[in-house]
Amino acid sequence: GVWLLGGRDYRTEVKDSPNERLAFGKDPASRFPCEHVSMRLLVVEDDATIAEPLRTGLRREGFEVDLVSTGADALAAPECDLVLLDLGLPDLDGRVVCRTLRERSDTPIIVVSARGKEVDRVILFELGADDYVVKPFGFLELVARIRAVLRRTAGGPSPSASDVRIEA
Ligand code: CA
């Protein structure tokens, strides 16, 4: 299908760029070959009105996205590169989920908390979260935070990732 960014057909705007033309594969996610092509995110969010657009947007940004809506499913999910964890979950305390995930692995965690609920960032970091956003958050801010956290972790993409891809 046609992928729109800001209402415009992104592909028609970049078609004259040799490097960008190389970037287009069968998978729409490959439009952005420079970063995160193989980065798998686990999104833990019980509000479908947030979760579904979030998944769509993150996929457009080139991430693979697993979506779960409960703490139990989050704890049962396979390993991923980063967890986006809503603290307000229907079954378990999000803080417990966060702490449990952290005890299990070093996978980076970005916590999502609701506005109005006082979030003590010290507590968040004691839980092992790498960063946090407060609802309602801007999508671009979230993507920037995800990329920043991934860059800080060992598994993040190297600065030369785009060169490797173009030569391939
Ligand atoms: Ca929630």
Side-chain angles (χ1 to χ4, degrees):
V2 174
W3 290 76
L4 299 176
L5 288 181
R8 295 181 298 185
D9 184 349
Y10 183 77
R11 293 182 302 180
T12 64
E13 295 187 7
V14 298
K15 66 183 178 186
D16 293 331
S17 163
N19 288 343
E20 290 289 352
R21 195 158 47 225
L22 276 177
F24 293 117
K26 292 175 191 166
D27 183 354
S30 69
R31 286 177 314 134
F32 301 109
C34 302
E35 296 183 74
H36 316 303
V37 165
S38 61
M39 286 289 147
R40 177 174 288 274
L41 310 184
L42 174 64
V43 175
V44 187
E45 171 60 74
D46 59 305
D47 184 343
T49 65
I50 294 174
E52 292 297 340
L54 199 53
R55 173 162 61 180
T56 302
L58 289 171
R59 280 178 171 166
R60 285 184 187 179
E61 292 293 325
F63 297 102
E64 294 181 47
V65 182
D66 291 330
L67 181 59
V68 299
S69 59
T70 66
D73 285 345
L75 294 177
E79 212 168 313
C80 63
D81 295 302
L82 183 144
V83 179
L84 186 66
L85 175 65
D86 179 28
L87 286 185
L89 297 170
D91 56 340
L92 301 174
D93 185 331
R95 292 170 300 179
V96 173
V97 175
C98 185
R99 192 182 291 123
T100 305
L101 289 173
R102 174 53 70 238
E103 285 169 358
R104 231 187 248 174
S105 78
D106 291 330
T107 301
I109 302 169
I110 297 179
V111 160
V112 180
S113 62
R115 178 182 237 174
K117 298 193 176 180
E118 201 65 41
V119 179
D120 185 330
R121 71 179 69 189
V122 174
I123 291 177
L124 283 183
F125 293 128
E126 282 176 353
L127 292 176
D130 296 86
D131 203 353
Y132 70 96
V133 293
V134 177
K135 288 180 183 176
F137 52 84
F139 178 70
L140 293 180
E141 180 196 347
L142 175 66
V143 170
R145 286 181 181 276
I146 289 172
R147 288 182 170 154
V149 168
L150 286 172
R151 270 197 298 273
R152 290 204 301 266
T153 63
S158 69
S160 62
S162 60
D163 296 332
V164 172
R165 174 61 177 257
I166 288 167
E167 288 167 6

